[in-house]
């Protein structure tokens, strides 16, 4: 009896030791300008001795880290050997809509997609992942995700660690549920269980870090879980980049909250630590607010049962993400704190915005939510502005070069990380349900493409839709991938066409042709690509109430100042 007890004790002890013993896997790098990516099915042991069926880019799971230079023309050859359809999206990139890899750009099985584009990004950390509608959550959980590192001259001039795998490490944090047979669990809706934590697909990961400044590029590539990262000794670290590249001003922080889809770059001053010291990177989920997936309560006042949520050891507790052991410094180590002034990005001024769009985020559970167009009830799905994703509907038509303020209205019961393609944005402010300002954190000041919108909060951002336009839609959606797959996604096109609303009065810059005019119709027929059509304000324009004109030529329409008179 006693023997058995000690046997069990030592077994438990071994288990504990074993749990901190896996060296962090570092994905290989791929340099351009030509990138060959092959997506295929594979096998991986997340849990020792148990094979899981996976999917990966150029390997069993995850993908190589793509290193790109800002300004470089890159060519991607993406082969799909998955046996099912998919797409590949360059998350955070500003590219032509046909190169964006959204749900409309399907890569059929056994075919190759070959987008080519100029890297317009600033130095920073981006990522790539599948985006086929209803397949995104599953394919990402099965392993399809990779990091992109963009380098540029501005970042290269700063005294920062940047040697990949030496003093600059990718950390792709994910949770998955894996059953005893190794199968990755997928419910297709919320809640999707996620009891296995991994960094770069390594469970119980450890990493030797040199006794110097060490940079981490952190990506939350989980389906749903939010992390609240900090060091076990509560030491400070420095935030140098947000989603879209360098912060203008270094952040000195003790916590970094990352919702799905978000990235951040931090520098940890291991130069201050003794040789052999160990320190843990933890997620202080005990500090997360209710309504956050990862907090003690994932929903506020939720009446539905949450069967797979509560038994998860990560919910509402502080848990270890990665264990660091400090080893000898490398040659030419960076040992000084990152510069207080980093980037020189100029935020888009809010005053430049000519249009404000409201987006209401909410989720299932029979909640009643007031929207701009009245009260809507959402029963089963996750909606934006009270309707589910419909790939045949263009939800927003945005004239090129337009600067806009988007107002995101949080759900009643839970947070949603809102993501938009094509652009980086600047968060203007965040307010609670009473209209009180909630100060922005270090991670919310800078270029962003994902923003966490808490229950009943209102978050405003400003952005501009530049350079690219066309008929292929860009997406905006909740980056909880199961929500996105359930329909919490919408699409917009950026348009170069000049649209005139029939009720328009004033000087024309933007609008939409719901009922085009006869004069316009005629002009369009005679126009060739590149023509500018002047639409005479103050003149008499005959309205056509039949089918709207679909302008397929690349024409610019201009209206001279003054009201348009309709007859
Ligand atoms: Cu990371 Cu639309 O996605
Ligand atoms: Cu994206
Ligand atoms: Cu959501």
């Amino acid at each position: 009896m006693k023997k058995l007890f000690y046997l069990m004790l030592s077994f438990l002890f071994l288990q504990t030791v074993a749990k901190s013993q896996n060296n962090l896997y570092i994905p290989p790098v791929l340099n351009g300008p030509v990138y060959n990516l092959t997506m295929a099915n594979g096998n991986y042991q997340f849990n020792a001795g148990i094979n899981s069926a996976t999917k990966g880019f150029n390997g069993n799971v995850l993908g190589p880290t793509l290193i790109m230079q800002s300004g470089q023309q890159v060519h991607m050859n993406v082969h799909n050997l998955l046996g099912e359809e998919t797409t590949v999206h360059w998350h955070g990139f500003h590219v032509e809509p046909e190169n964006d890899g959204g749900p409309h750009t399907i890569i059929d099985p056994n075919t190759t997609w070959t987008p080519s584009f100029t890297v317009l990004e600033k130095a920073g950390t981006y990522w790539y992942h599948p985006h086929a509608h209803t397949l995104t959550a599953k394919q990402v959980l099965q392993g399809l995700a990779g990091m992109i590192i963009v380098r540029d001259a501005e970042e290269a001039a700063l005294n920062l660690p940047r040697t990949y795998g030496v003093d600059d490490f990718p950390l792709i944090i994910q949770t998955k549920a894996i059953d005893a047979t190794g199968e990755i669990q997928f419910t297709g809706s919320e809640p999707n269980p996620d009891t296995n934590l991994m960094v770069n697909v390594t469970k119980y990961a450890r990493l030797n870090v040199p006794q110097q400044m060490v940079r981490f590029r952190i990506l939350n590539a989980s389906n749903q879980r939010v992390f609240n990262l900090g060091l076990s000794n509560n030491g400070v670290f420095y935030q140098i980049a947000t989603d879209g590249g360098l912060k203008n001003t270094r952040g000195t922080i003790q916590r970094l909250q990352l919702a799905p889809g978000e990235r951040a770059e931090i520098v940890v001053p291991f130069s201050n630590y003794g040789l052999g010291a160990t320190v843990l990177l933890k997620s202080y989920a005990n500090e997360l607010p209710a309504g956050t997936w990862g907090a003690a309560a994932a929903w506020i006042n939720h009446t539905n049962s949450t069967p797979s949520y509560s038994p998860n050891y990560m919910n509402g507790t502080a848990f270890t993400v990665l264990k660091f052991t400090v080893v000898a410094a490398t040659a030419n180590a960076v040992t000084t704190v990152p510069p207080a002034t980093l980037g020189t990005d100029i935020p888009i001024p809010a005053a430049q915005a000519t249009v404000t769009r409201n987006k209401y985020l909410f989720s299932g559970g029979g909640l009643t939510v007031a929207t701009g167009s009245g009260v809507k009830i959402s029963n089963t799905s996750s909606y934006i502005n009270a309707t589910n994703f419909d790939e045949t509907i263009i939800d927003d038509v945005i004239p090129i070069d337009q600067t806009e303020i988007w107002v995101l209205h949080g759900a009643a019961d839970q947070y949603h990380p809102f993501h938009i393609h094509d652009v980086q944005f600047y968060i203007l402010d965040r307010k609670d349900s009473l209209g009180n300002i909630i100060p922005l954190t270090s991670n919310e000041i800078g270029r962003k493409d994902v923003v966490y919108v808490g229950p009943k909060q209102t978050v405003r951002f400003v952005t501009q839709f530049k350079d690219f336009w066309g008929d292929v839609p860009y997406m905006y959606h909740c980056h909880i991938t199961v929500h996105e797959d359930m329909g919490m996604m919408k699409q917009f096109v950026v348009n170069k066409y000049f649209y005139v609303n029939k009720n328009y009065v004033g000087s024309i810059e933007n609008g939409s042709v719901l009922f085009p005019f006869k004069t316009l119709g005629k002009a369009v027929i005679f126009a060739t690509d590149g023509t500018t059509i002047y639409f005479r304000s103050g003149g008499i324009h005959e309205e056509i109430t039949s089918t709207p004109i679909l302008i397929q030529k690349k024409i610019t329409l201009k209206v001279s100042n003054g009201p348009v008179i309709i007859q």
Side-chain angles (χ1 to χ4, degrees), residues 415-417 478 480 483 488:
Y415 86 90
H416 296 277
C478 176
I480 290 176
H483 287 183
M488 195 170 188

Side-chain angles (χ1 to χ4, degrees), residues 201-231:
V201 296
T202 313
K203 286 184 67 177
Y204 314 115
R206 63 173 303 283
L207 178 68
N208 285 342
V209 286
Q211 194 182 33
Q212 63 203 56
M213 294 290 159
V214 179
R215 179 178 190 163
F216 296 98
R217 299 168 184 270
I218 313 177
L219 158 65
N220 181 353
S222 296
N223 162 52
Q224 186 153 21
R225 186 162 295 270
V226 173
F227 300 96
N228 183 35
L229 303 171
L231 297 169

